[in-house]
Amino acid sequence: MMNPFQDFQDLGLCPEILQSIESSGFLTPTTIQRISIPEIFKGEDLLVEAQTGSGKTACFAWPLLQALQISQSNESKGIAKIKVLVLTPTRELAYQVSGAFYRFGEFFETKKTVLTVIGGESIAQQSQSLQNGVDVVVATPGRLLDLLEKKVLDLSEIEFLVLDEADKILDLGFAAELEILLGQISPKRQNLFFSATYPEKVLEIVKKISSSARILKIENATPSVEAIEQRVIQVNRENRGMLLRHMIKESGWKNALIFVGSKVAAHNLTEKLKKVGINVETIHGDLSQSQRNTALSQFKERKCDFLVATDVTARGIDFKKLSMVINFDLPRSPADYIHRIGRTARAGETGVAVSFIGLEDLAHFQLIEKRAEINLFREEIAGFELNGDIPLIKLGAPPVKGKRKSKKDKLRELTKTQN
Ligand code: AMP
């Protein structure tokens, strides 16, 4: 009789991992798993470019858990000498990745400890957990730095460094944090970079971190048009709210993740939708972590029909059977368009991605199409047709991304002057 797990066994995965694969209900490795796992076992530095939702977490979690089983457990109390560090750009993704490590590691006799190190949660508790001994840390860069300053963890024995959604971590927003972190991590480590998109400038930074990283590009790295039905609806900015309500009522739009461009926009749109009785939650950076967690789980558990979100959920978050993604506001970068629409149609499912574009967005959307190598039909909905003249572009210096001090930078400076 044919062994349904033969393909997984051929990847060199151990019985405990195979058991967790079976209990997850996976039948066959995804393309990215088939290609990257044997390379990871060889110990090479890799830069993997693969479609969103293609099972990339398992690509690093399986081999690294297996490697950890062979190496000595971290019993050093007082200061945590961790072996595996996974960096993610958002707190929600950090939680998701930690969860995957736990799930995939559940059949090992000696359990490995995984700690999520993120802002918005108690730093004292995270310090305490580190002092009790931790094997894997999944972190957002800011909080990790805070803990390094407290000298409760030691990165000098890191064997594996994973950058999940690597392009987002390596872009200017995290550059300063990353430079300090890399200075403290053992240079004798295996570097693994994962993302669906790698803008040119990011590839240059990757080369500085690892000159030997081999590029594994999986075909169809951008979400396929067949899996995601991409729609573009032209509508004047001021009519988008009305159009959304109309489509919810008349076309039965439901189970949709609605992306907006700012925290204020997220709050305002949510309130407007709630006022007309729509079952909606919101997630953005001005909410407490527990509010963020609740909103995300309510939406995932289908306790609300819509989630209005900023880009905190654009990267890596796994929404199972999500019907729609709506770009109420367009994303700033073409890469973010790919990541946002990739929240639907995960792991072989299908979905719809709708973008509202107004007069101000026409040129920007053309750029997104060019970069994503797509060419989409423009629709209009009766009663909401686009009208007016294309506004003239105001000339002036564009805002410099990454130069503005973040709340965290300011806080850090303040704490330094107080100490
Ligand atoms: P990821 O890209 O890691 O966020 O994974 C996307 C989804 O694919 C998650 O729900 C995983 O549990 C699922 N997944 C990962 N590997 C497989 C596999 N071999 N077969 C089916 N689903 C998978």
Side-chain angles (χ1 to χ4, degrees), residues 35 39 74 96 108 127 132 139 145 168 208 243 268 308-309 397:
I35 296 177
E39 303 301 318
N74 174 30
Q96 187 175 294
F108 285 108
S127 300
N132 292 342
L145 271 186
K168 198 72 195 169
K208 282 187 202 153
L243 174 62
N268 292 345
V308 176

Side-chain angles (χ1 to χ4, degrees), residues 220-226 228-232 327 330-331 333-339 341 353-355 357 364-378:
N220 293 328
T222 50
S224 62
V225 184
E226 303 85 64
I228 304 176
E229 183 197 343
Q230 297 177 66
R231 294 177 63 184
V232 184
N327 285 318
L330 283 184
S333 78
D336 285 342
Y337 175 80
I338 310 255
H339 287 277
I341 72 167
V354 181
S355 299
I357 61 169
H364 182 50
F365 197 74
Q366 270 178 356
L367 185 74
I368 290 177
E369 284 183 304
K370 195 169 158 214
R371 295 272 171 79
E373 296 174 6
I374 47 173
N375 190 2
L376 302 172
F377 175 73
R378 280 20 174 194

Side-chain angles (χ1 to χ4, degrees), residues 201-219:
K201 67 170 197 274
V202 166
L203 286 174
E204 284 163 25
I205 307 175
V206 169
K207 273 188 214 138
K208 282 187 202 153
I209 299 174
S210 164
S211 54
S212 65
R214 223 157 63 73
I215 299 178
L216 284 187
K217 194 175 160 119
I218 315 296
E219 283 307 305

Side-chain angles (χ1 to χ4, degrees), residues 8 26 28-30 33 53-58 96 316 318 320 346-347:
F8 286 114
F26 303 159
T28 173
T30 61
Q33 290 163 359
S54 55
K56 68 177 161 54
T57 316
Q96 187 175 294
D318 190 33
K320 294 208 169 52
R346 317 264 309 154

Side-chain angles (χ1 to χ4, degrees), residues 56-57 60 86-100 116 118 138-140 163-166 168-169 194 289 292 296 300 312-318 339 343 346:
K56 68 177 161 54
T57 316
F60 55 84
V86 183
L87 293 177
T88 70
T90 64
R91 300 169 183 180
E92 282 71 18
L93 184 56
Y95 270 132
Q96 187 175 294
V97 171
S98 298
T116 317
I118 56 171
V138 184
T140 50
L163 267 61
D164 195 9
E165 303 296 334
K168 198 72 195 169
I169 298 179
F194 285 86
Q289 193 54 43
R292 284 165 68 158
L296 191 58
K300 282 186 167 189
V312 291
T313 55
R315 293 286 183 145
I317 302 298
D318 190 33
H339 287 277
R343 293 316 97 213
R346 317 264 309 154

Side-chain angles (χ1 to χ4, degrees), residues 149 412-419:
E149 275 169 27
R412 248 193 220 123
E413 281 181 7
L414 196 71
T415 10
K416 272 189 190 134
T417 46
Q418 281 170 349
N419 288 341

